[in-house]
Amino acid sequence: MRAMQIPSDHPLLLRIVDDLAEHGWSQQNIFLPDALTRALATECRQRAAEGELAPAAVGRGPFSQIREGIRGDRIQWIEPGQVQACDRYLALMDSLREALNRGLFLGLEDFESHFALYPPGAFYLKHVDRFRDDDRRIVSAVLYLNDAWLPEHGGQLRMYLDEGVAHDVVPTGGCLVVFLSGEIPHEVLPATRDRLSLTGWFRRRGNELF
């Protein structure tokens, strides 16, 4: 599979930029081709079968802890050059980064992402994605990798929007959700089957002095 970078003025990317500017979040139900979604799901399952996914922690640095009563997913970070499917996804997200910078002047410098697998019954309680002591995460992006997912399988991403409105996203394969990391609380509801995603963050330069 070849690289998948597209122009930063592609209509799909501009729609995401407009949504973020107007609402602070965007949901694109058909973001990736089926073949790439399946390839990423296969890679996630293979890493899980080989024991490469580890329990996710809450908190950061020396204060991070494994607390399954708060979150129960297993994760592994992805890096360029590992597999073609991941490289195609990272190239596409770099196009989105350029579109966000051009349209919203966010100063985003990079994108970090990991596979996340929630086994049946696992969840992640209500939270925001930006750490209190680290303001680098600006925009969150979650791509779902689940084939033939039905609403009754559960696992929805529940976002808490303005005026007490809650919006549920069914984690259907190929769907991408993008939202402002520090402004939209959200949670992951329990599911009845394995729930796969690529979860990531567009980041700007931090305030640390070196």
Side-chain angles (χ1 to χ4, degrees):
M1 291 184 286
R2 294 179 298 174
M4 201 171 179
Q5 194 151 10
I6 61 177
S8 59
D9 60 353
H10 189 283
L12 176 59
L13 304 184
L14 294 181
R15 187 157 62 243
I16 294 172
V17 172
D18 289 344
D19 285 347
L20 281 180
E22 184 173 355
H23 307 294
W25 64 281
S26 179
Q27 177 179 341
Q28 303 301 320
N29 291 327
I30 303 176
F31 186 75
L32 282 194
D34 287 343
L36 180 54
T37 301
R38 289 194 300 270
L40 290 168
T42 297
E43 179 67 18
C44 182
R45 291 189 181 281
Q46 180 176 335
R47 294 185 185 203
E50 294 174 355
E52 296 180 6
L53 273 62
V58 297
R60 192 172 75 94
F63 303 104
S64 64
Q65 296 179 326
I66 306 298
R67 299 182 62 183
E68 293 187 358
I70 295 177
R71 67 181 296 186
D73 54 326
R74 304 180 69 86
I75 68 170
Q76 187 187 47
W77 296 91
I78 64 173
E79 301 291 344
Q82 293 177 328
V83 293
Q84 286 187 334
C86 291
D87 284 351
R88 292 186 73 197
Y89 177 65
L90 291 174
L92 185 55
M93 299 312 281
D94 197 58
S95 298
L96 178 54
R97 181 187 64 83
E98 293 177 358
L100 292 169
N101 281 340
R102 177 176 297 181
L104 302 177
F105 307 102
L106 294 178
L108 304 174
E109 293 198 342
D110 61 20
F111 178 72
E112 60 177 5
S113 184
H114 62 62
F115 284 114
L117 188 155
Y118 287 80
F123 54 87
Y124 195 163
L125 296 182
K126 185 178 179 181
H127 65 284
V128 294
D129 281 350
R130 185 183 295 173
F131 297 111
R132 293 180 180 178
D133 61 345
D134 186 343
D135 65 353
R136 287 178 294 176
R137 289 180 175 178
I138 303 300
V139 177
S140 303
V142 185
L143 175 78
Y144 295 108
L145 307 175
N146 306 295
D147 182 53
W149 195 276
L150 300 175
E152 53 264 36
H153 292 145
Q156 290 87 349
L157 172 71
R158 177 165 292 169
M159 297 189 293
Y160 294 90
L161 309 176
D162 293 337
E163 300 179 354
V165 174
H167 175 73
D168 285 356
V169 179
V170 177
T172 306
C175 173
L176 177 74
V177 181
V178 180
F179 54 90
L180 297 177
S181 300
E183 298 185 17
I184 297 186
H186 55 283
E187 65 176 317
V188 176
L189 303 182
T192 60
R193 50 178 281 202
D194 285 349
R195 177 190 188 275
L196 312 180
S197 67
L198 272 166
T199 300
W201 298 271
F202 294 97
R203 304 188 304 175
R204 66 183 178 190
R205 187 184 298 275
N207 291 328
E208 294 88 354
L209 297 177
F210 296 95

